[in-house]
């Protein structure tokens, strides 16, 4: 993992840890433009009673308004593979690159992002994997609600 990826993924992990400390789901995200973080966020569905405050959505909200030119030069870092909602926002704002902490515990809408020309770099960072696996084991119902399923979704087997 490059130093730049490690630096920004660590910032996203800190956001995930903030969510967990506040009773939420440990997923974090940062939006990077010109090697600087312009937005930070973490999953706040539990904390805010929100249907949409996934980490990437919260990050974009906290980044504020930017021109299409700015978004088209950003990279978004997220500790977990983006779901369909977050992938839609990434596509809407034409963010060209997503650095994903891990996709072992949850595979988001990576295929659709790739079909639309978004570059994906999956780190499978052990810190991200362990954070999610521990949370899913401890709070399966909250996790299932977050990803929009009624049945129990367990942690996938490690390779």
């Amino acid at each position: 993992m490059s130093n730049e990826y490690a630096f920004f993924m660590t910032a996203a992990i800190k956001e995930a840890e903030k969510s967990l400390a506040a009773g939420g789901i440990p997923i974090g995200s940062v939006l990077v433009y010109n090697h600087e973080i312009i937005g930070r966020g973490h999953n706040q569905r539990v904390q805010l009673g929100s249907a949409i405050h996934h980490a990437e959505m919260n990050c974009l909200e906290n980044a504020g308004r930017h021109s299409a030119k700015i978004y088209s030069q950003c990279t978004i870092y997220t500790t977990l593979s983006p779901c369909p909602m977050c992938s839609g926002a990434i596509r809407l704002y034409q963010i060209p690159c997503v650095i994903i902490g891990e996709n072992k515990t949850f595979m988001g809408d990576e295929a659709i992002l790739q079909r639309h020309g978004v570059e994906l770099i999956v780190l499978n960072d052990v810190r991200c994997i362990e954070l999610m696996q521990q949370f899913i084991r401890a709070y399966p119902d909250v996790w299932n609600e977050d990803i929009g399923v009624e049945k129990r979704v367990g942690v996938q087997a490690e390779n």
Side-chain angles (χ1 to χ4, degrees):
M1 178 182 337
S2 78
N3 288 339
E4 182 174 355
Y5 292 168
F7 177 81
F8 292 122
M9 186 53 65
T10 297
I13 291 169
K14 287 180 182 176
E15 289 296 317
E17 290 169 342
K18 281 184 192 177
S19 182
L20 185 62
I25 300 163
I27 305 169
S29 182
V30 295
L31 185 65
V32 176
Y33 171 71
N34 201 22
H35 307 287
E36 291 186 25
I37 295 172
I38 62 169
R40 299 172 182 270
H42 51 272
N43 188 301
Q44 292 196 54
R45 288 191 69 249
V46 173
Q47 299 93 311
L48 298 177
S50 169
I52 63 167
H53 273 279
H54 282 194
E56 300 89 341
M57 301 296 282
N58 187 250
C59 175
L60 290 168
E61 173 74 13
N62 292 335
R65 289 179 60 191
H66 294 282
S67 70
K69 181 179 179 182
I70 298 294
Y71 287 119
S72 73
Q73 297 174 33
C74 284
T75 297
I76 192 164
Y77 287 73
T78 180
T79 58
L80 188 65
S81 183
C83 74
M85 176 178 64
C86 297
S87 294
I90 290 164
R91 288 179 41 231
L92 175 68
Y93 291 106
Q94 298 179 9
I95 298 169
C97 184
V98 182
I99 310 295
I100 299 168
E102 69 107 341
N103 65 3
K104 290 187 176 290
T105 56
F106 177 76
M107 175 61 75
D109 239 359
E110 293 180 22
I112 199 160
L113 286 170
Q114 288 176 317
R115 279 196 305 273
H116 284 87
V118 177
E119 179 184 10
L120 303 180
I121 299 170
V122 181
L123 304 177
N124 280 323
D125 185 304
V126 69
R127 300 169 297 172
C128 297
I129 295 167
E130 289 176 359
L131 199 56
M132 283 309 304
Q133 287 181 346
Q134 290 171 5
F135 181 83
I136 292 168
R137 277 193 290 274
Y139 305 100
D141 293 337
V142 175
W143 170 244
N144 290 336
E145 175 190 320
D146 193 63
I147 59 173
V149 298
E150 290 185 37
K151 65 180 180 170
R152 179 175 224 132
V153 174
V155 174
Q156 294 179 0
E158 294 181 35
N159 293 337

